[in-house]
Amino acid sequence: MCMCMCMCVYACVCVCLRSASERTIVPTECPECKGLVMEDGANHFCTNTLSCPAQTFERLRHMCSRSCLDIAGLGPKKLQTLIELGWVRTAADVFKVPARLNESLSRLAEKKGSKIKGKAGLVGNAEDLNGEGSPVSTGMEDDEETTEKSLLDLEGWGERAVQNLIDAIERSRSPAPPLWRYINSLGIPHVGSSNAKVISKHFGESYGRLWGCLLLASEGIGSEGEKNHGYDELVSIPGFGATIIDRMIAWTRSNREACEQLARAVNVYEDPIIPAPPPYPNERDSIKGARAKQRKNETLDSAESGGGILMGKKYVVTGSLTCVTREKATELLSRLGAKVTTSVSKTTDVLLVGREPGKSKIEKATKMKVTILTELEWLQSLPEGVDDLATFLRNTGNDDLLALE
């Protein structure tokens, strides 16, 4: 589950434990917007996705984070200010902010110039002054100018800080970001940065191909559950099952306009490329073909990577390793040839345990007799045979993961 959705749950749903012996009390409405709360497994969500203030804030904060569009300088405090002023309501609105801030800076410069001229006696004609020698006020001042003035007067919104923010927003979309960053920034449930990279690679870094498949699949799932070749293409993505694909399609159907607006704003938009129907005689053969394509892709990926010391192994990581984030640990294992999943199953080969691990994963791995290794045990089991992760990263040419941390 992506961080954006997890934070929304935290922000929107207040769960109270009265005592150890009593049941958990789950609210039926969101404490932020009074929207209906829906149960999804162990989690509860506010269904007012587009209008809930807490979800809006967390969705935008997620989009601006380092693992998404990486807009340096637009932290939680500044983002909250822009939301409260009404400047930002959707993800695409963030990219309209530079134009408004530039206008604000221009007006500020003009006013400073006017004050300098006024002090020099160049205020204007006598009829433009009131009896006290001051400019006549029409009483029709623009509310927007007042808002902009109050914004620029706030702490942290000085001219230099504003210019830095403008530059950071423009850098995030020019040149256009990699497709996986755009996908991750959408906050689709169960699609974090790792899955976003897999999707991006599968569709050849092409927004048009991805969006064409999603739109076609969205149109092809009706009340009777019929599925088309757009769906077949999606289920052929390595590591993706029908459950995640179904949720991706449902999410796309509900948020299509917002997704397309953001794609245009960050310059990744292409006209949707609808895939041609495959030469399968019936739906069953179509699904079989999609699964065969998935196996072929996995084989090709293995061949292109030249193998790897962990090739063919399935890993799950719990807890944090000593010098890399969970995301970078996943990337390291993938580079070494392993397939990394988020949950322990009977097909899992190794559960890699870091600091503050999840107890449920350890219990499940123990029950299923999955190999459980600490970070040190894992390092010592590898051909390098070192005792610390930083040394291993340097020895294997993966020190970029360390350096970026």
Side-chain angles (χ1 to χ4, degrees):
M1 182 176 296
C2 71
M3 183 60 70
C4 179
M5 292 301 294
C6 291
M7 292 301 294
C8 288
V9 174
Y10 176 79
C12 295
V13 180
C14 177
V15 179
C16 304
L17 289 172
R18 295 183 177 178
S19 72
S21 60
E22 293 179 329
R23 294 181 62 185
T24 301
I25 306 301
V26 179
T28 57
E29 64 178 30
C30 171
E32 285 286 335
C33 68
K34 306 306 178 184
L36 179 67
V37 171
M38 178 183 71
E39 184 176 355
D40 182 11
N43 303 307
H44 295 79
F45 300 94
C46 169
T47 56
N48 187 19
T49 307
L50 297 180
S51 302
C52 178
Q55 290 196 64
T56 298
F57 173 76
E58 289 299 339
R59 186 164 54 249
L60 294 172
R61 186 193 63 79
H62 171 74
M63 182 198 75
C64 297
S65 65
R66 287 180 60 188
S67 63
C68 294
L69 297 181
D70 193 16
I71 304 178
L74 189 53
K77 190 173 181 180
K78 279 190 170 65
L79 186 58
Q80 188 64 51
T81 299
L82 293 174
I83 293 172
E84 290 172 355
L85 290 176
W87 283 28
V88 173
R89 292 186 178 88
T90 68
D93 286 343
V94 170
F95 299 92
K96 300 175 184 176
V97 168
R100 299 190 66 169
L101 289 178
N102 275 321
E103 289 177 7
S104 301
L105 292 176
S106 297
R107 290 193 183 99
L108 182 62
E110 288 174 4
K111 289 178 181 178
K112 285 183 177 180
S114 298
K115 287 182 180 179
I116 293 173
K117 289 182 180 181
K119 289 180 180 179
L122 301 175
V123 177
N125 297 327
E127 59 266 26
D128 296 328
L129 304 176
N130 60 22
E132 299 177 355
S134 301
V136 176
S137 173
T138 64
M140 301 292 289
E141 287 81 2
D142 190 351
D143 290 340
E144 186 172 345
E145 289 188 23
T146 303
T147 299
E148 290 167 349
K149 183 177 183 301
S150 63
L151 173 64
L152 296 176
D153 285 340
L154 294 175
E155 182 180 353
W157 289 91
E159 290 183 57
R160 180 176 295 181
V162 167
Q163 188 59 56
N164 288 340
L165 177 57
I166 291 172
D167 294 342
I169 294 175
E170 293 299 344
R171 278 197 304 271
S172 71
R173 64 172 175 174
S174 182
L179 181 61
W180 72 266
R181 285 189 176 276
Y182 163 77
I183 296 170
N184 193 30
S185 71
L186 296 176
I188 303 173
H190 307 288
V191 180
S193 59
S194 297
N195 280 344
K197 290 176 182 177
V198 173
I199 295 171
S200 180
K201 181 179 179 181
H202 180 81
F203 287 98
E205 313 295 331
S206 169
Y207 169 89
R209 287 184 58 201
L210 166 62
W211 205 239
C213 261
L214 281 169
L215 294 183
L216 181 61
S218 178
E219 294 169 359
I221 299 181
S223 57
E224 297 180 2
E226 65 275 11
K227 298 177 175 64
N228 56 34
H229 54 281
Y231 185 90
D232 294 346
E233 181 64 32
L234 291 170
V235 297
S236 72
I237 301 174
F240 280 68
T243 300
I244 293 181
I245 295 301
D246 289 344
R247 291 185 178 184
M248 280 178 58
I249 294 170
W251 192 93
T252 301
R253 188 187 294 117
S254 301
N255 298 278
R256 175 177 176 175
E257 184 178 355
C259 292
E260 291 181 347
Q261 287 176 350
L262 180 60
R264 288 186 171 93
V266 299
N267 302 314
V268 300
Y269 184 84
E270 304 169 9
D271 288 333
I273 302 171
I274 304 299
Y280 301 134
N282 55 55
E283 183 179 342
R284 178 175 295 180
D285 287 344
S286 175
I287 297 296
K288 285 176 65 179
R291 293 301 184 189
K293 183 176 180 181
Q294 177 176 342
R295 290 192 295 271
K296 180 180 178 182
N297 286 341
E298 291 173 349
T299 302
L300 289 174
D301 288 343
S302 300
E304 289 171 2
S305 65
I309 58 177
L310 301 180
M311 183 55 60
K313 298 292 185 181
K314 292 186 178 181
Y315 270 69
V316 174
V317 181
T318 180
S320 56
L321 303 186
T322 53
C323 59
V324 293
T325 62
R326 177 81 64 84
E327 180 182 89
K328 291 177 182 177
T330 299
E331 183 173 346
L332 172 63
L333 291 168
S334 298
R335 289 183 186 182
L336 297 175
K339 179 178 180 181
V340 186
T341 60
T342 56
S343 58
V344 176
S345 68
K346 292 180 179 179
T347 61
T348 303
D349 293 300
V350 177
L351 174 64
L352 181 55
V353 179
R355 293 170 296 179
E356 300 180 3
K359 292 183 179 179
S360 61
K361 287 184 178 178
I362 293 178
E363 290 173 357
K364 193 171 182 180
T366 302
K367 185 177 180 180
M368 294 182 173
K369 298 182 179 180
V370 172
T371 301
I372 300 174
L373 296 177
T374 64
E375 180 180 325
L376 179 59
E377 290 170 339
W378 176 69
L379 287 169
Q380 291 176 343
S381 70
L382 300 177
E384 290 289 326
V386 296
D387 292 335
D388 68 280
L389 185 55
T391 301
F392 177 78
L393 291 173
R394 295 188 184 97
N395 290 352
T396 56
N398 291 295
D399 50 326
D400 58 312
L401 300 176
L402 178 63
L404 291 173
E405 177 58 26

